Amino acid sequence: MALRNWIPGRSKRVEPKAFFHLHLISDSTGETLTTAARAAAAQYPNWQAVEHVTPLVRNEEQLDEALAGLDDQPGLVLYTMIDEALETRLVERCKSLAVPALNLLAPVIGMFDAFLGDTRTGTSGAQHVLDETYFSRLDGIRYAMAHDDGNLPDDLDSADVILIGISRTSKTPTSIYLGQRGVRCVNIPMVPGMELPEQITRLKKAKVVALVASVERILQVRENRLRAYDRDTEGDIYVDRASIQEELAWTRRLCQSNGWPMIDVSRRSVEETSAAILSLLSANK
Amino acid sequence: MALRNWIPGRSKRVEPKAFFHLHLISDSTGETLTTAARAAAAQYPNWQAVEHVTPLVRNEEQLDEALAGLDDQPGLVLYTMIDEALETRLVERCKSLAVPALNLLAPVIGMFDAFLGDTRTGTSGAQHVLDETYFSRLDGIRYAMAHDDGNLPDDLDSADVILIGISRTSKTPTSIYLGQRGVRCVNIPMVPGMELPEQITRLKKAKVVALVASVERILQVRENRLRAYDRDTEGDIYVDRASIQEELAWTRRLCQSNGWPMIDVSRRSVEETSAAILSLLSANK
């Protein structure tokens, strides 16, 4: 990559994308930094951030190692660092390299300080305590895996949400993602010619959600899927436009007669679909 | 919950924990806000944040709905909002309610603006484009599920990392989490009396990582596991201290003779274990 690509102040549109180095240095897992950096970076379609993530930086040696890469590949530094001595070391090093550095959590902590008027513990990664919430998230993942693809349909009462949908509507990754948020999720595939488990229509709570997508989208994903397994797509009903249309019509009829909400995932990421499901669940409470 | 619990400026230790309301309002999934808010909140062990998360706020109606809860349950507002008109509406509403509001991404975007000297797109949730990175993360989840618990051991060459470990060392949730980061992860259980697949010792790349934990930790998790299934723990070798010690010694011997790194998960969350594994992988590159 050419040096000029990350020079500050460059504002003209460059094809292909211009690169810049983005150093993410965390005393914890780096998750907060990564999600924030990506949300911000997505605002600049002409630029591509080259991420250098260094998690679990909790002593001087680890910090120096993380900073060593800065000499060779200068760029922006975004960090979280609770320990004050380490933060000072980091900031001074960045200053001497004339590299901008930002503590992502500083404004949030400043706000909490002012509001709570309390002292902080100064412990890194304190959000990763192995507490009840943590174990309910682990349990959520296990639950989603055990109840993937129509497994254990007798157990629908224990679920927080039941996802239904025809093949290739992202039921599995969505249920895993919800599981990680501590939501117990069952996913049941809708297969033409097979009834859904009868128990589903007798559930007390309104917790069934159907995933749908456009015919185009499903066709495309299914074709890719077959090709990945070197299967011929010609004449296969799985990738037949009219059949997919009929499958989707079936989903709509079922949802209308049972009052189940539908979410269109055609243009939604799994994270966005999950956020929409969580909103539905909290609205139903 | 009593009103006094969230009054600003309260600084004395309160038993049980004092609560405060924390409104997280996002034009995207709310993930950035949630991880940042939890990292900050973890610094105040005397306080418990009551989270009100409203994701996917992209028009005035959705914003007003999110803000409606503020009247009843005032507290801190942490938000991400790319749309300027919506942000102004949010900020003015918070001002009129005398509630502090903070745009988490504003400092990051300010830094990017100054560094890149480029204009932003102003699109919400632009990081959730369904691009190659996104699909590699979906693929990572599928891969982890397909290769869970020793499935498909013939396929070790396609993996980025192979997790081994005795029962209850968090192999499954760790591999799912790594999968979500786009890392193709196989996990293989170490069961006493069963050899590991021979192929594992012939792998070219250094990509085997063993998970271990203290005897106490494993004993505790296994006992809980058996009780969850109403199984008697008495006399079961699965929860026998000496047997667990022997299983761990076996892990250590294998790692020493093959040069595989070990990670102790006794006090680590799955996210922290995963961060440590990612560090190992990038150091081995």
Side-chain angles (χ1 to χ4, degrees), chain B residues 156-176:
Chain B
L156 297 184
D157 279 324
S158 67
D160 298 312
V161 61
I162 293 150
L163 293 184
I164 60 171
I166 64 172
S167 174
R168 301 293 107 199
T169 46
S170 307
K171 293 183 299 299
T172 294
T174 305
S175 63
I176 291 287

Side-chain angles (χ1 to χ4, degrees), chain A:
Chain A
M1 169 193 348
L3 195 74
R4 59 182 165 77
N5 276 342
W6 56 263
I7 289 176
R10 189 178 183 85
S11 63
K12 274 182 292 179
R13 187 177 181 88
V14 181
E15 298 287 4
K17 276 187 181 183
F19 289 86
F20 67 102
H21 292 285
L22 182 56
H23 296 261
L24 306 172
I25 301 177
S26 172
D27 54 5
S28 182
T29 64
E31 234 170 328
T32 314
L33 289 176
T34 311
T35 54
R38 288 184 188 161
Q43 291 297 309
Y44 307 88
N46 302 337
W47 292 84
Q48 174 76 48
V50 180
E51 290 177 7
H52 306 270
V53 189
T54 318
L56 306 172
V57 174
R58 291 176 184 174
N59 61 41
E60 289 191 3
E61 273 177 27
Q62 293 165 336
L63 178 60
D64 290 343
E65 209 172 298
L67 292 171
L70 259 179
D71 271 318
D72 300 328
Q73 306 182 304
L76 295 171
V77 177
L78 202 60
Y79 69 92
T80 59
M81 198 61 65
I82 301 289
D83 183 279
E84 287 179 17
L86 279 183
E87 178 171 18
T88 306
R89 192 181 179 92
L90 191 160
V91 169
E92 283 175 2
R93 182 73 168 270
C94 289
K95 259 189 203 153
S96 76
L97 292 166
V99 147
L102 178 72
N103 183 346
L104 178 72
L105 289 180
V108 187
I109 290 196
M111 185 196 208
F112 277 46
D113 270 351
F115 188 77
L116 302 176
D118 203 351
T119 48
R120 284 176 276 135
T121 58
T123 314
S124 310
Q127 72 272 34
H128 292 290
V129 288
L130 309 184
D131 60 4
E132 209 179 314
T133 314
Y134 173 73
F135 287 108
S136 86
R137 290 192 294 122
L138 285 197
D139 180 58
I141 297 175
R142 273 190 217 112
Y143 190 93
M145 290 180 78
H147 294 78
D148 184 41
D149 204 29
N151 274 325
L152 314 185
D154 303 340
D155 203 19
L156 298 184
D157 280 322
S158 67
D160 297 314
V161 61
I162 293 150
L163 293 185
I164 61 171
I166 65 172
S167 175
R168 301 294 106 198
T169 45
S170 308
K171 294 183 296 300
T172 294
T174 305
S175 62
I176 292 286
Y177 184 84
L178 286 169
Q180 261 183 340
R181 304 282 291 259
V183 175
R184 294 160 76 93
C185 186
V186 167
N187 81 75
I188 302 177
M190 294 177 62
V191 181
M194 270 178 59
E195 296 284 317
L196 283 177
E198 190 247 357
Q199 194 193 355
I200 202 173
T201 56
R202 287 186 281 112
L203 290 170
K204 278 174 222 158
K205 284 197 285 180
K207 59 182 178 183
V208 180
V209 177
L211 302 184
V212 292
S214 67
V215 175
E216 279 317 311
R217 173 95 194 139
I218 287 175
L219 189 60
Q220 184 195 352
V221 183
R222 286 187 181 181
E223 282 179 345
N224 288 340
R225 186 79 174 167
L226 289 189
R227 280 198 205 100
Y229 289 108
D230 285 329
R231 291 242 314 262
D232 189 12
T233 62
E234 187 71 30
D236 191 329
I237 200 163
Y238 187 66
V239 288
D240 177 72
R241 192 180 298 270
S243 305
I244 294 174
Q245 242 151 9
E246 181 42 44
E247 290 177 46
L248 288 168
W250 172 41
T251 310
R252 271 191 295 276
R253 282 195 305 274
L254 259 183
C255 287
Q256 272 155 11
S257 63
N258 288 286
W260 297 330
M262 285 184 288
I263 295 178
D264 190 324
V265 305
S266 306
R267 290 167 184 282
R268 277 193 169 98
S269 68
V270 164
E271 290 85 351
E272 291 175 305
T273 303
S274 302
I277 292 169
L278 291 173
S279 291
L280 278 173
L281 289 182
S282 78
N284 282 343
K285 260 180 195 164

